[in-house]
Amino acid sequence: MNGRLDMTSMYAMHDALRRELVQLARVTTRVDGDPYRVLHTAAGWALFTTCLRVHHSAEDDTLWPALRRTLADRPDELALLEAIEAEHAAIADVVAMIEDLLTTPETGLDRLGDLTDSLATGLAGHLKHEEDQALPLVQAFTTPAQWAHFGEVHAQRIAPDIARVLPWLLDGATEQTAATVLAVLPASGRTEYTTRWRPAFAALDRWSPNTA
């Protein structure tokens, strides 16, 4: 339909989620720490789960419904969207099980390790599935107005935590990606990012206990 949608922020989010899966694996495989306490009180887990929930809920509430209406007479594409949403639900279930387990650590490390492994496998597979098959549909059939609406909903839901989320999102990103993402902010927001948010995030050891 258009082929002109800028998906920089979408891919930046996917890259950030993949990056945090690596950190999560490190936390849960360390023999000299307490992974329950880390996940329960670390900013890294809080940021990861917050951004994951916002990202998936914004897609489920805006992107996929619009595509379903456009592709109503294309059953194969509709089945793909149903599969993507089912993956979202399965990932959310695993996150919920992990968070429940963090309140009952007596269950044992093996259970936590199994769940975090399941989360890593499921989320990594989902992100690839979405990039390979769903995002091309978004690019082909989503209008600029629908894409802008998705961005607005996403931004509104992340706004309460933007001071930490934005530098989290851009941690390790290329200069071009950072410039594209930051360009949507007003000048005052870019100043806040440069002078306050990014330095504060850089000083945060987000996968350490008691940083949430």
Side-chain angles (χ1 to χ4, degrees):
M1 180 180 293
N2 52 71
R4 301 186 305 274
L5 304 180
D6 184 345
M7 294 193 169
T8 301
S9 294
M10 173 73 78
Y11 282 97
M13 178 60 74
H14 283 197
D15 289 345
L17 293 171
R18 288 187 177 102
R19 179 198 69 220
E20 296 302 278
L21 287 177
V22 174
Q23 297 297 326
L24 180 60
R26 290 174 180 166
V27 166
T28 54
T29 57
R30 285 183 59 179
V31 298
D32 60 342
D34 180 355
Y36 285 99
R37 180 165 173 258
V38 172
L39 295 189
H40 196 52
T41 64
W45 176 252
L47 282 164
F48 170 76
T49 54
T50 294
C51 291
L52 181 63
R53 289 181 182 118
V54 165
H55 185 62
H56 283 179
S57 70
E59 289 179 338
D60 290 343
D61 294 344
T62 58
L63 278 186
W64 312 144
L67 271 179
R68 279 199 297 272
R69 290 191 294 270
T70 301
L71 303 173
D73 59 348
R74 301 176 63 155
D76 289 345
E77 283 79 0
L78 291 177
L80 169 63
L81 296 179
E82 290 177 2
I84 292 292
E85 289 186 285
E87 289 167 9
H88 283 186
I91 290 165
D93 287 344
V94 176
V95 171
M97 285 188 284
I98 292 172
E99 293 189 326
D100 285 345
L101 187 60
L102 295 179
T103 66
T104 56
E106 63 274 6
T107 305
L109 283 176
D110 288 345
R111 176 62 172 159
L112 181 61
D114 289 344
L115 286 173
T116 54
D117 285 348
S118 179
L119 174 60
T121 300
L123 181 54
H126 165 71
L127 294 174
K128 187 176 189 304
H129 189 197
E130 188 170 288
E131 290 170 357
D132 288 349
Q133 298 190 43
L135 294 189
L137 284 181
V138 174
Q139 188 65 263
F141 295 103
T142 298
T143 68
Q146 290 167 340
W147 183 248
H149 178 57
F150 164 68
E152 290 166 0
V153 169
H154 203 293
Q156 288 168 359
R157 294 180 183 182
I158 218 71
D161 301 302
I162 192 171
R164 280 192 171 185
V165 167
L166 195 55
W168 173 91
L169 176 67
L170 297 177
D171 186 34
T174 66
E175 290 185 7
Q176 181 176 356
T177 293
T180 300
V181 171
L182 294 172
V184 303
L185 295 179
S188 59
R190 293 194 296 273
T191 298
E192 285 288 288
Y193 172 82
T194 300
T195 62
R196 295 181 56 196
W197 302 345
R198 186 173 63 181
F201 182 81
L204 176 69
D205 185 1
R206 65 184 182 276
W207 285 101
S208 289
N210 303 317
T211 54

